């Protein structure tokens, strides 16, 4: 709410807000499901504002499942759909700025989701769509060698 209606006042915090969210997620107890859920919902809403650019530098932290979802069993079972939906949206926004290692990790995470029987078809569909969109991003990546691109796109 504050970011939309008081954007001019909040502009000075564009970098601090995403860093703070990542710090709170990292410090949040692994089994604090309600707190993590609220934080993920709020963060997903921030991605729909101009403040999403602050998350671009934080992508590596969000790729760590322990930071994103937590370590508790209840958090793992409850938050994965929301967390992967958020992560897919974030990756969609930053895909042109990703490096080889990040692409590799993202492909691993979302291809694993496709084969996970405990996830809903909505998350599986989201994962497949993201992977399909990444193909074009990888293909057009100018700062990546052809061999690296091939390695990402063709797994044995």
């Amino acid at each position: 709410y504050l970011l939309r209606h008081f954007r001019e006042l909040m502009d000075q915090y564009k970098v601090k807000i995403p860093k703070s969210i990542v710090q709170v997620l990292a410090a949040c107890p692994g089994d604090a499901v309600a707190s993590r859920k609220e934080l993920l919902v709020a963060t997903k809403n921030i991605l729909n504002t101009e403040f999403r650019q602050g998350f671009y530098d934080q992508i590596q932290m969000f790729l760590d499942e322990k930071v994103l979802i937590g370590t508790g069993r209840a958090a793992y079972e409850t938050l994965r759909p929301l967390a992967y939906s958020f992560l897919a949206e974030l990756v969609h926004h930053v895909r042109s700025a990703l490096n080889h290692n990040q692409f590799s990790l993202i492909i691993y995470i979302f291809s694993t989701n496709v084969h996970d029987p405990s996830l809903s078809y909505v998350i599986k569909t989201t994962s497949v769509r993201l992977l399909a969109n990444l193909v074009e991003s990888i293909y057009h990546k100018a700062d990546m060698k052809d061999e690296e691109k091939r390695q990402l796109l063709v797994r044995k």
Side-chain angles (χ1 to χ4, degrees), residues 55-63 87 91 94-110 130-131 134 138 141 143-144 152 155:
F55 288 104
Y56 294 4
D57 296 336
Q58 304 299 321
I59 186 72
Q60 195 64 40
M61 290 296 288
F62 284 116
L63 292 175
L87 186 59
V91 167
V94 301
R95 67 183 184 265
S96 61
L98 296 171
N99 63 40
H100 179 270
N101 291 336
Q102 290 168 332
F103 272 121
S104 183
L105 186 54
I106 291 165
I107 290 169
Y108 174 78
I109 290 169
F110 285 96
L130 178 73
L131 290 168
L134 286 181
I138 292 168
K141 194 80 170 146
D143 63 342
M144 202 180 293
L152 288 171
R155 298 275 172 130

Side-chain angles (χ1 to χ4, degrees), residues 4 17 24 52 59-60 63-64 68 70-72 75 79 82 93 95 103 115 122-123 126 134 137 142-143 150-151:
R4 291 180 193 252
I17 290 172
V24 170
R52 75 174 148 255
I59 186 72
Q60 195 64 40
L63 292 175
D64 182 356
L68 185 63
T71 55
L79 296 177
L82 178 60
H93 289 296
R95 67 183 184 265
F103 272 121
H115 298 288
V122 173
I123 297 303
T126 300
L134 286 181
S137 298
D143 63 342
R150 194 174 300 109
Q151 179 188 13

Side-chain angles (χ1 to χ4, degrees), residues 25-56:
L25 275 173
C28 190
D31 57 350
V33 177
S35 301
R36 285 183 175 280
K37 183 177 180 181
E38 289 299 320
L39 199 53
L40 286 171
V41 168
T43 306
K44 195 170 179 186
N45 288 329
I46 293 172
L47 284 181
N48 295 323
T49 69
E50 294 173 16
F51 282 74
R52 75 174 148 255
Q53 294 168 349
F55 288 104
Y56 294 4

